Amino acid sequence: RKEVEQDPGPFNVPEGATVAFNCTYSNSASQSFFWYRQDCRKEPKLLMSVYSSGNEDGRFTAQLNRASQYISLLIRDSKLSDSATYLCVVTGGGFKTIFGAGTRLFVKA
Amino acid sequence: DTGVSQNPRHKITKRGQNVTFRCDPISEHNRLYWYRQTLGQGPEFLTYFQNEAQLEKSRLLSDRFSAERPKGSFSTLEIQRTEQGDSAMYLCASTSIRGQGGNTEAFFGQGTRLTVV
């Protein structure tokens, strides 16, 4: 089993749609959780950290369920500019930072 | 520029040659990571350092790969006897320790794109 697993993509959605990505992790000792965004041929960049209480940043909402070892990202009112690959990132008990394979999102007009 | 810096940005080499990449992390970050990324995949963990100590190396990494961080600052990744399958983007990232455990966010360099011909 992979240490971090994400929904397979790609997701093709119209502008204005709500889309949700899921991610599971295998190491119950994991302590830090993030969602990154990666544009084509660019390096990954932080989208948002994920906290146990859940957190929201504008149209983006991230949630963490430690009991189920599950992380989610919700994007509301999708924009064309949201088209990218979204990477789930987990730092394990040994402080090794592991990335999921990513989920590609295409937002179409 | 106080971000993560990687050199070179691009490297084309013939099969069988050795290559070395350099990463300069954010100066106050004590953890440094190397990843490899191929098209359509997420960054694959290769190895990481805490200060100058190499704490883990991926089982997927052959002995042709070696990394160092001699003074706990910059790091080098060397690939000996390159093969065509080594062609990929090599990404470096740095983080620091978060007070309540775990890491702060990872900041990435722009990567070194290796092409083995």
Side-chain angles (χ1 to χ4, degrees):
Chain A
R1 182 185 172 188
K2 290 186 177 180
E3 292 179 84
V4 179
E5 295 200 70
Q6 293 188 238
D7 277 351
F11 284 60
N12 294 285
V13 303
E15 274 188 292
T18 296
V19 61
F21 303 141
N22 301 317
C23 170
T24 57
Y25 60 95
S26 61
N27 186 346
S28 59
S30 298
Q31 295 180 298
S32 303
F33 308 90
F34 307 93
W35 283 100
Y36 276 69
R37 170 188 170 134
Q38 187 172 26
D39 294 298
C40 188
R41 295 189 169 269
K42 299 284 189 181
E43 74 275 20
K45 293 189 177 177
L46 179 71
L47 178 66
M48 58 197 304
S49 301
V50 186
Y51 303 115
S52 296
S53 55
N55 47 300
E56 187 174 308
D57 182 2
R59 298 181 294 109
F60 299 85
T61 301
Q63 293 196 312
L64 167 64
N65 184 322
R66 284 187 183 272
S68 301
Q69 295 179 203
Y70 170 94
I71 304 162
S72 65
L73 176 69
L74 184 76
I75 306 175
R76 291 181 299 277
D77 189 23
S78 300
K79 311 290 185 192
L80 294 175
S81 58
D82 293 334
S83 297
T85 297
Y86 291 84
L87 298 160
C88 174
V89 182
V90 175
T91 297
F95 306 113
K96 185 172 72 174
T97 296
I98 299 295
F99 285 74
T103 302
R104 294 202 71 184
L105 172 65
F106 296 98
V107 181
K108 300 185 176 181
Chain B
D1 184 354
T2 57
V4 179
S5 175
Q6 289 188 247
N7 289 289
R9 293 286 307 280
H10 303 275
K11 178 72 177 178
I12 299 174
T13 190
K14 291 184 178 179
R15 192 174 52 186
Q17 297 294 305
N18 299 343
V19 294
T20 300
F21 310 142
R22 175 174 170 132
C23 172
D24 288 88
I26 293 172
S27 58
E28 59 266 30
H29 285 179
N30 58 352
R31 290 187 183 140
L32 184 150
Y33 297 79
W34 285 100
Y35 297 88
R36 175 172 61 194
Q37 188 172 28
T38 53
L39 199 62
Q41 299 297 314
E44 174 192 21
F45 171 81
L46 295 180
T47 188
Y48 88 102
F49 294 83
Q50 180 160 309
N51 301 314
E52 66 276 8
Q54 187 174 18
L55 296 188
E56 188 166 342
K57 187 175 174 180
S58 170
R59 292 190 300 273
L60 302 175
L61 212 58
S62 80
D63 55 10
R64 296 185 296 106
F65 288 71
S66 61
E68 294 184 339
R69 194 182 183 199
K71 296 182 179 178
S73 56
F74 74 91
S75 175
T76 58
L77 177 68
E78 181 182 17
I79 309 174
Q80 296 181 327
R81 305 180 303 281
T82 52
E83 301 172 357
Q84 286 187 318
D86 297 332
S87 296
M89 174 74 85
Y90 290 83
L91 291 163
C92 174
S94 68
T95 72
S96 60
I97 301 170
R98 199 169 67 182
Q100 60 268 48
N103 284 340
T104 61
E105 67 174 284
F107 289 86
F108 282 85
Q110 292 181 303
T112 295
R113 186 170 296 282
L114 173 66
T115 302
V116 182
V117 297

